[in-house]
């Protein structure tokens, strides 16, 4: 994909990857009467003020759970980051799989700069009732928008991995005078070097969630001027989530019922 590919291509890639991950996970599950739940997915989402962010979540349920049916609106309870639109689609799984699933895709466009943390989704139904469903901590780091200069390609590296405790990156600069001077991948994890960071590498993460979603924040220096850039979405651990990760997601949802 070229540098800063079109919005439609980005959204399609995000949703397709989320759907593939959901199928990989679901075929490993066994039937249970437990209440449906979102996979425990913690996130660090860096973006520019006013940028469009597409953020997917997958919800697993048995035949008796209807938590994502008849939904009229979706928002974050704290309201710091507004949901511009949402889409809920059923996941069609193979015969013999005892679970059903929904893919919930949010389109966001943060209007204010700052750091905002959301831990649940507020679901409003067509009958006027509401419910808060836990999703895991999502930290939004909203900063200065990119200015349109194509100094770095953030689309070279992978989009998902098997390791929930590591972020892998692979960037390229298009100007010989440009260098990557800062990379932030988690609320408290960042790399900095005025001389320039490696354009490819891996960063150790923290936190117990079996899946982590990251849109990194980059700083690129060119001819003495610093420019902000933001990475594509990257799922850490999504391709290796096992029965233990599913169980921990279910336990997390039960422990944080009501969005606490």
């Amino acid at each position: 994909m070229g540098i800063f590919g079109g919005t439609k291509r980005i959204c399609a890639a995000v949703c397709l990857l989320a759907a593939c991950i959901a199928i990989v996970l679901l075929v490993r599950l066994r039937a249970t009467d437990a209440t449906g739940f979102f996979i425990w997915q913690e996130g660090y989402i860096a973006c520019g003020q006013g940028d469009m962010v597409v953020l997917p979540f997958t919800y697993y349920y048995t035949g008796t759970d209807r938590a994502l049916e008849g939904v009229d609106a979706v928002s974050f309870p704290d309201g710091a980051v507004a949901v511009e639109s949402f889409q809920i689609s059923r996941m069609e799984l193979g015969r013999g799989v005892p679970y059903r699933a929904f893919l919930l895709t949010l389109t966001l466009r943060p209007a204010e700069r700052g750091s905002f943390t959301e831990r649940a989704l507020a679901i409003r139904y067509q009958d006027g009732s509401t419910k808060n469903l836990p999703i895991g901590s999502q930290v939004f780091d909203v900063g200065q928008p990119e200015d349109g200069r194509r100094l770095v390609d953030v689309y070279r590296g992978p989009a998902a991995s098997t390791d929930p405790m590591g972020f892998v990156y692979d960037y390229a600069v298009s100007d010989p005078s440009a260098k990557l001077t800062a990379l932030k991948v988690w609320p408290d994890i960042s790399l900095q070097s005025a001389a320039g960071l490696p354009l490819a590498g891996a960063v150790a993460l923290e936190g117990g969630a079996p899946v982590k979603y990251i849109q990194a924040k980059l700083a690129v220096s060119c001819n003495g001027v610093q420019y902000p850039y933001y990475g594509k979405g990257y799922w850490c651990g999504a391709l290796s989530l096992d029965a233990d990760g599913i169980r921990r997601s279910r336990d997390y949802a039960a422990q944080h019922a009501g969005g606490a």
Side-chain angles (χ1 to χ4, degrees), residues 39-246:
I39 287 298
W40 181 14
Q41 172 185 299
E42 296 191 343
Y44 170 74
I45 301 100
C47 65
Q49 180 182 15
D51 286 354
M52 187 184 76
V53 175
V54 179
L55 186 59
F57 298 93
T58 46
Y59 185 85
Y60 300 72
Y61 69 104
T62 62
T64 58
D65 188 290
R66 296 289 183 269
L68 290 189
E69 292 186 352
V71 176
D72 183 60
V74 179
S75 63
F76 290 112
D78 292 342
V81 177
V83 177
E84 186 172 87
S85 64
F86 71 95
Q87 182 177 3
I88 298 175
S89 57
R90 292 181 182 274
M91 304 297 300
E92 295 297 334
L93 305 174
R95 294 182 60 183
V97 178
Y99 277 75
R100 299 178 181 179
F102 286 107
L103 174 64
L104 171 60
T105 305
L106 305 181
T107 299
L108 317 171
R109 202 178 295 273
E112 298 182 13
R113 298 186 191 183
S115 180
F116 312 99
T117 302
E118 300 286 359
R119 296 179 173 84
L121 291 175
I123 309 296
R124 188 181 73 199
Y125 298 94
Q126 294 170 355
D127 63 3
S129 62
T130 60
K131 180 184 294 186
N132 283 5
L133 300 177
I135 52 176
S137 177
Q138 311 295 316
V139 177
F140 296 90
D141 187 352
V142 185
Q144 178 184 345
E146 298 174 359
D147 71 351
R149 295 173 185 264
R150 298 185 174 185
L151 296 177
V152 60
D153 182 355
V154 299
Y155 293 98
R156 288 165 47 96
S161 76
T162 60
D163 183 8
M165 302 305 293
F167 172 81
V168 177
Y169 68 94
D170 184 6
Y171 305 132
V173 294
S174 58
D175 188 312
S177 300
K179 55 187 176 182
L180 176 66
T181 55
L183 175 64
K184 186 172 183 179
V185 302
W186 207 242
D188 299 318
I189 300 176
S190 60
L191 306 176
Q192 296 185 26
S193 173
L197 294 168
L199 292 175
V203 182
L205 301 175
E206 57 189 25
V211 176
K212 299 178 177 70
Y213 181 78
I214 297 174
Q215 288 188 191
K217 178 165 68 174
L218 297 76
V220 175
S221 175
C222 187
N223 298 320
V225 180
Q226 294 268 34
Y227 299 95
Y229 289 93
Y230 303 96
K232 64 177 181 178
Y234 181 86
W235 281 268
C236 303
L239 298 182
S240 64
L241 191 64
D242 55 15
D244 179 66
I246 299 296

